[in-house]
Amino acid sequence: MQSSSGLLQRSSCLRLLSPSHQSTVSSPISRPRSRRFASNPFPAAAAAPLVTRTKPKLDPVMALDLNSRGENEVVVVDDVEMDRFAETANEMADAAGEVIRGYFRKKFDIIDKDDLSPVTIADRAAEEAMASIILETFPSHAIYGEERGWRCKESYGEYVWVLDPIDGTKSFITGKPVFGTLITLLYKGKPILGVIDQPILRERWLGISGRKTMLNGQEVSARACTDLSRAYLYTTSPHLFSEAAEKAFSRVRSKVKVPLYGCDCYAYALLASGFVDLVIESGLKPYDFLALIPVIQGSGGIITDWNGNELYWDASPDTPASSFNVVAAGDGQIHQQALKSLEWS
């Protein structure tokens, strides 16, 4: 994590609080727009039904940062600002969804990237639809997209939007609606907002640090499950694991009640809604998991790497999108049991 006082001086639209200090800094952010994304040249599907959202009175979003003395200092993003970020994230998901629905179960070219993973015109067009909204609404914010990487004049951004337009492209191109659009807002490397959007089923999970996770405006929560022998486990595919990772995964799989496969990010959404107990995956990129963190944590679940460490990625033009092993659980007890069974080091 960046830790100099200079970073605090560059902070915008924040209140910085410590036991003995409080100040308010405002930023020149344009007004939130009421229009939907209008420049999308792709076929649009019927609009999703409007959902009335009741905003509870909530504490501001807080994260720990290091001040110039190397001490933890609480950084607060107030509710008004967070609501504006959430409004923009919803607009971005709407825009991406319009593009994706226009291509779903249609004929289009499939291109293999350097890592042999597939990409389509829908992936690229959906990312551009989201990026255009960020560039207009928050021009000082950085963007890191799966398809185009870093977009910012500076090499550092206090606020970074991390985008995965279609997490689960293989599901998308085979007509299976368990893929999703992932949207993350990082503040100093910490994910403070995450969206999992399934545009075909029109389901949207919104996680915000310090708040309850919402599915289409209704609170959701993970379920209790205290023993691996009762757990429902998801992974996208063990064929994506290295040999060592697959052996570790098999030690958990052999102990659960039901192992299931093939849901990409949708498995984590099901965990947040209390239908799944455990998700274990290997080789995920930052844009694959960062949005999941606020969603899982806001539902009462836990998400870490295979050693139980916090998932963290320092987004910048010079930071490679390295691979991570991820385990998410709805209950702390089976999270610890899964870590013990993985025996990962």
Side-chain angles (χ1 to χ4, degrees):
M1 173 180 289
Q2 305 282 353
S3 59
S4 69
S5 61
L7 294 185
L8 296 178
Q9 293 170 358
R10 290 200 301 270
S11 175
S12 62
C13 57
L14 299 172
R15 282 182 296 156
L16 308 181
L17 300 181
S18 68
S20 61
H21 176 71
Q22 175 177 335
S23 64
T24 302
V25 184
S26 61
S27 66
I29 297 177
S30 59
R31 295 192 306 273
R33 300 166 303 168
S34 59
R35 67 171 178 84
R36 285 172 60 83
F37 182 73
S39 58
N40 172 32
F42 305 98
L50 293 176
V51 177
T52 301
R53 292 176 171 84
T54 302
K55 295 178 182 176
K57 186 176 178 62
L58 295 159
D59 293 332
V61 175
M62 299 194 300
L64 288 178
D65 189 36
L66 294 177
N67 60 24
S68 59
R69 298 180 301 279
E71 302 168 338
N72 281 331
E73 187 168 41
V74 178
V75 179
V76 179
V77 182
D78 64 35
D79 279 339
V80 173
E81 211 61 57
M82 281 306 309
D83 287 343
R84 297 179 77 180
F85 295 149
E87 181 179 357
T88 300
N90 278 313
E91 186 177 1
M92 292 159 59
D94 288 343
E98 285 189 23
V99 173
I100 292 166
R101 285 189 294 271
Y103 284 103
F104 186 62
R105 294 181 179 171
K106 302 289 175 39
K107 301 293 184 182
F108 47 77
D109 291 332
I110 301 168
I111 302 167
D112 288 332
K113 295 190 282 190
D114 291 341
D115 62 359
L116 301 182
S117 62
V119 64
T120 72
I121 188 173
D123 295 83
R124 292 172 174 172
E127 183 171 308
E128 288 307 306
M130 293 188 287
S132 68
I133 292 171
I134 299 168
L135 292 170
E136 182 177 339
T137 310
F138 300 114
S140 65
H141 290 194
I143 302 170
Y144 193 100
E146 178 182 7
E147 307 308 331
R148 285 197 53 184
W150 181 263
R151 283 195 248 186
C152 184
K153 293 179 181 178
E154 307 296 331
S155 60
Y156 167 80
E158 250 180 5
Y159 288 103
V160 183
W161 294 87
V162 181
L163 310 176
D164 187 348
I166 301 180
D167 179 75
T169 301
K170 293 175 183 176
S171 292
F172 172 72
I173 62 181
T174 55
K176 187 169 63 173
V178 292
F179 57 89
T181 297
L182 299 179
I183 300 169
T184 317
L185 178 60
L186 303 180
Y187 172 65
K188 294 186 177 180
K190 293 283 187 178
I192 61 172
L193 180 151
V195 171
I196 304 172
D197 187 67
Q198 212 308 309
I200 308 305
L201 302 177
R202 297 180 185 271
E203 295 176 322
R204 184 175 302 166
W205 287 260
L206 172 65
I208 295 175
S209 295
R211 304 188 187 184
K212 296 288 188 179
T213 293
M214 311 291 281
L215 166 58
N216 291 354
Q218 301 296 317
E219 287 186 9
V220 294
S221 60
R223 69 186 182 190
C225 180
T226 59
D227 196 284
L228 275 180
S229 65
R230 299 178 180 179
Y232 283 68
L233 163 70
Y234 254 112
T235 193
T236 299
S237 172
H239 300 302
L240 301 174
F241 292 11
S242 68
E243 182 178 353
E246 186 173 1
K247 288 181 179 178
F249 172 77
S250 68
R251 288 191 286 270
V252 181
R253 180 182 57 199
S254 66
K255 296 177 182 178
V256 302
K257 182 176 182 177
V258 179
L260 299 154
Y261 304 95
C263 269
D264 300 293
C265 64
Y266 197 69
Y268 297 88
L270 293 174
L271 187 149
S273 290
F275 297 108
V276 177
D277 304 299
L278 195 61
V279 184
I280 298 178
E281 297 197 284
S282 180
L284 297 189
K285 300 296 185 182
Y287 41 73
D288 295 324
F289 68 78
L290 287 170
L292 312 175
I293 297 173
V295 173
I296 296 295
Q297 292 177 343
S299 72
I302 301 169
I303 181 168
T304 67
D305 70 11
W306 285 11
N307 292 309
N309 298 319
E310 176 184 0
L311 294 163
Y312 177 80
W313 182 64
D314 184 18
S316 78
D318 303 318
T319 306
S322 51
S323 296
F324 291 74
N325 295 329
V326 175
V327 55
D331 188 288
Q333 292 188 59
I334 62 165
H335 179 261
Q336 287 300 314
Q337 293 169 31
L339 293 177
K340 184 177 179 180
S341 297
L342 285 166
E343 300 176 7
W344 193 253
S345 59

